[in-house]
Each structure stands twice: as structure tokens, then as C-alpha cells.
Amino acid sequence: MTDQSADRITTREAAARLGVKPETLYAYVSRGLLTSRRAEGGRGSTFDPAEVAALAARARPAAAGQDAAPDGDGGWGRIRTGITLIEGDALYFRGVEATGLASAYGFEEVAEWLWTGELRRGIRFTAPEPLLAAARSAGDALPAGCGPMDRLRVAVLAAATADPLRFDLSQDAVLGSARGLIPTLVGALPEAGRTHRGEGRLAWRLWSRLTALPADEASLRVLDAALALLVDHDLAASTLAARVAASARAHPYAVVSAGLGALDGPLHGQASAMAHRMLAEVLERGSAGPVVAERLRAGQRVPGLGHRLYRGEDPRARLLFHLLGRVPAAADALAAARDIGTTAARHTPLFPNVDLALAVLSVSSAMPPEAGETVFSVARTAGWIAHALEEYQERPLRMRLSGTYQGPPPPRPLP
């Protein structure tokens, strides 16, 4: 028998090949990414060089992205996805430009494209009665004054309890849950106005939950396009949270709950509400100048402008502004949004983003400030499900991070 102990490498050598500290190396061992063996004589550990090389290869960025794998600092690298690509100032869903999809198809059709890579023209989502009844009952039990986001979060949890098959993570089962959950979220919201005559399309049903104004076809087209454009935007914070939950094999309702939790903050989901309030103030005061000046004087950013992923114009905003130009009631809000962009450009050249476009829709349609976040959440639920479907095909718990301890060195006496 051949003694292979001489082929093994020391802790120091293994750490050097991976570009990490010995402490990080042992963290990999504890997570099952590496195996170690006590050296002869019991002093230190040894590692299989082939196993170390394989882990190092996984950590190197690849041209087409890489698996979630440890990098040199003990963090994690990129995540492979075939869903969304943001390149230059263009947004693509499964290789097709998102603005083209949203111009030609409705939200449900774009969601199906995102999930399956197939286009099912004319598909409609229907809420199963048990899910809808549970969601509405839970919403009715909330205290007075709860907003739509509170209702959506509760609706997801209630719908999960009404679906005994929620733990089936096969693709067909997850897609069935998704097609029922999204209309359940809309149906759980209280009606603000009369139901549109075209009840079948999800955008039509959502409209009557957002405003008491009667729907016109041009405005409904904007809402439907907004839902289609917002289905996904690569690995935003809420999407990453959803993928972490899916990595732990959480069921799709729990995945959506994780996404909604990460969305609940001023830096993500609530950005459109801030843009709404600013736009309403500009309309009230008749000029963007003093409104923008006050925010800059206070050291605040101007909401609705700029995006970290686009150097130029947000393509989603470009399409929505184009469609809003066909809505007579949106003319004043649209002019105010342009005034904001022109005024702020004197200080910093930033382009309007999708939050400002949502604000034009919500302000001109007498919707509450939270309407944009509601639209965002309903739409992004489809994206979270798409990422969950991808993650369910990966190795479970692959996104287990390791902290870098910076506290007092142990051992310390018992306090």
C-alpha cells in the first residue's frame, strides 16, 4: 500500500494556495468545504492538495459568473443566474430586452417568461379560494390604520397555512403556488374603488385596490407595464434575501416573506413613496427649485434620481414616461418630474429612475404614497419565485457565511 501522507500539505500551505488566513481555512473545514487530517505526531493538520485546488478554482470568477463560493476574504462570490442581465443601460430578462417585453406583453406573460423561458400569451393568474379566504381573514384582524405592506406580509403567511402542498419544491408545485399567491396578494388588499370591467388581468384588479378613480385604458397600460418591468432587477437586497431562504430549502411562501422583509426600508422598497411625496410637494408649490434646494441644503439626496446600476437613463423609467405621456391626467405630474430632473441636473447630472416614474403614476391617479411600494412588491414576488426555482437546483445551504470575529480574545472568565 502506498503511503499518501507525503502528498498532503500543511495548514500554512493550504491557506497560501487559497489566499486566506489559517482561521478562515478552519472555518471552511467546519462548514464541510474542506476536510483535514491530523499530521503525524499530532502537531497541526494536513490537507489534500487536490481538494484545496478544487476549492480555489470554485472561488475564481468565471466569465459567465460563478457559483456562490468563498473568496479570499472569507466572503462569497457571485451567483450564477439565467434570469436577469443588466448591461450598459439595458435590462434583459432571459436575454430579451425587458422594455420590449413590457411593451408587447402583460405582467402575467412576462412573469411566465421569467419562470420558464416560455411565453404563454393570454395567461391569467387566479387566486385559489382557500388562500384568498385565509389572507382576507388575516388582513381583517389587523389593527386599524395598517398599510398595504402590512397586509401583504400577513397575506403571505396566511396563504401559506392554507396550502398543504407548500413544502413540495418541485418546479410544477412551486409554479402552481406562485400563480395562486400573486393574485391572492392583490385580492387581500381592500378595494379603494370600483372593479374595472376587465377583471381578468392582474393590473386591472390591482388598480381598484390603489385608487378610487375609475380606470382608463392608458393608465392601466402604465400600471401593467410597471408590473412587468419590476419583476426582477438582478440580485437586489430583497432578491438576495429570497435566495438565501431558498438555499435553506424554505418553501416559496417563506421565500417571498424573506423578500418582503428586506424590502421594508427607505433604501429599497420605500424609495417610490419618498419620490411621491416630493413630486406632490413640487405640484403644490408650483416649482421644483425650492423643493430640490431644501433637500440639498439638508444634505439629503433627491429621491427618484440616479441609479447605481445605470450610468445613463433607467430604461424602465424611459418606457414608463413614454406611456405616461399618453395619459392626459398625468400631464402636470409628468411636467413636475421633468422640472425636478432639470433642476437637480444643475447640481449633479442624474437621470430620473423608475421610482420617479411610479410617483408620476401614483400622484396623477390619486393613489397613496405607498402605492409604488405595493406595485413593486406584487411585481417582485414573481422575481423572488424565479430565483427560488434556480436556487432549489443548487447545493443546499451553499450561502453559509462565516463571520470575522473582532471581539475580545477568548477565553474570558465567566461574568
Side-chain angles (χ1 to χ4, degrees):
M1 179 178 293
T2 302
D3 182 9
Q4 298 183 357
S5 61
D7 297 332
R8 297 181 67 82
I9 57 178
T10 66
T11 298
R12 185 180 298 276
E13 290 172 319
R17 294 186 187 188
L18 288 170
V20 300
K21 298 177 181 178
E23 293 85 352
T24 304
L25 190 71
Y26 287 118
Y28 293 166
V29 173
S30 68
R31 299 207 305 269
L33 297 172
L34 282 176
T35 55
S36 64
R37 183 188 302 169
R38 297 297 295 175
E40 292 184 6
R43 299 184 62 183
S45 300
T46 63
F47 295 84
D48 181 349
E51 192 177 39
V52 171
L55 183 60
R58 285 173 51 201
R60 296 189 192 104
Q66 65 181 51
D67 191 4
D71 59 28
D73 296 323
W76 290 84
R78 299 180 182 179
I79 296 173
R80 289 193 187 96
T81 176
I83 299 171
T84 297
L85 172 66
I86 300 172
E87 191 171 63
D89 289 333
L91 173 66
Y92 301 92
F93 294 151
R94 294 197 179 276
V96 179
E97 199 161 15
T99 53
L101 285 168
S103 297
Y105 304 103
F107 164 69
E108 294 98 321
E109 294 160 325
V110 174
E112 285 287 332
W113 173 257
L114 207 68
W115 293 335
T116 66
E118 298 179 2
L119 197 63
R120 300 179 61 187
R121 188 179 291 276
I123 187 172
R124 298 291 179 262
F125 296 161
T126 303
E129 187 54 40
L131 270 66
L132 187 57
R136 285 177 172 170
S137 177
D140 291 342
L142 290 173
C146 285
M149 293 305 299
D150 295 319
R151 292 182 176 276
L152 290 180
R153 281 187 285 271
V154 167
V156 173
L157 297 175
T161 65
D163 184 358
L165 302 180
R166 63 187 180 276
F167 297 105
D168 184 350
L169 302 186
S170 65
Q171 178 169 320
D172 287 345
V174 172
L175 288 175
S177 297
R179 295 180 187 122
L181 174 59
I182 293 176
T184 296
L185 296 180
V186 174
L189 297 171
E191 290 191 0
R194 294 179 57 186
T195 302
H196 186 264
R197 59 182 173 79
E199 176 69 6
R201 192 179 284 275
L202 191 92
W204 296 339
R205 281 174 273 168
L206 181 58
W207 179 273
S208 64
R209 268 76 180 177
L210 298 176
T211 178
L213 292 182
D216 62 89
E217 294 302 324
S219 296
L220 286 170
R221 183 70 193 92
V222 178
L223 179 57
D224 205 0
L227 287 166
L229 289 167
L230 290 168
V231 287
D232 193 53
H233 207 235
D234 197 29
L235 289 174
S238 57
T239 303
L240 181 58
R243 286 199 77 128
V244 170
S247 178
R249 296 303 183 260
H251 57 70
Y253 299 90
V255 166
V256 172
S257 291
L260 286 171
L263 195 67
D264 191 21
L267 302 181
H268 196 5
Q270 294 180 25
S272 60
M274 294 188 289
H276 175 109
R277 294 185 177 96
M278 178 188 66
L279 187 62
E281 186 179 355
V282 170
L283 286 168
E284 181 181 353
R285 299 177 69 166
S287 173
V291 177
V292 171
E294 287 174 4
R295 280 164 173 74
L296 294 177
R297 186 180 301 118
Q300 301 173 352
R301 61 180 294 273
V302 181
L305 297 180
H307 198 288
R308 62 182 300 180
L309 298 183
Y310 302 111
R311 292 184 177 180
E313 192 174 9
D314 183 336
R316 302 167 299 174
R318 182 174 61 247
L319 176 58
L320 292 181
F321 282 132
H322 171 71
L323 295 175
L324 284 163
R326 303 175 182 175
V327 181
D332 290 344
L334 197 56
R338 290 174 178 147
D339 189 14
I340 291 170
T342 302
T343 301
R346 302 171 193 166
H347 173 73
T348 305
L350 295 175
F351 292 89
N353 60 35
V354 71
D355 296 313
L356 189 57
L358 284 176
V360 172
L361 173 64
S362 59
V363 168
S364 62
S365 303
M367 297 176 183
E370 301 80 13
E373 187 178 8
T374 304
V375 174
F376 189 104
S377 301
V378 171
R380 193 56 57 89
T381 296
W384 296 330
I385 294 294
H387 281 273
L389 286 167
E390 276 196 341
E391 194 59 41
Y392 289 150
Q393 303 306 311
E394 300 288 349
R395 175 171 52 83
L397 292 174
R398 68 190 182 121
M399 286 184 275
R400 170 65 167 87
L401 301 183
S402 179
T404 300
Y405 180 72
Q406 296 180 332
R412 302 183 70 197
L414 186 68

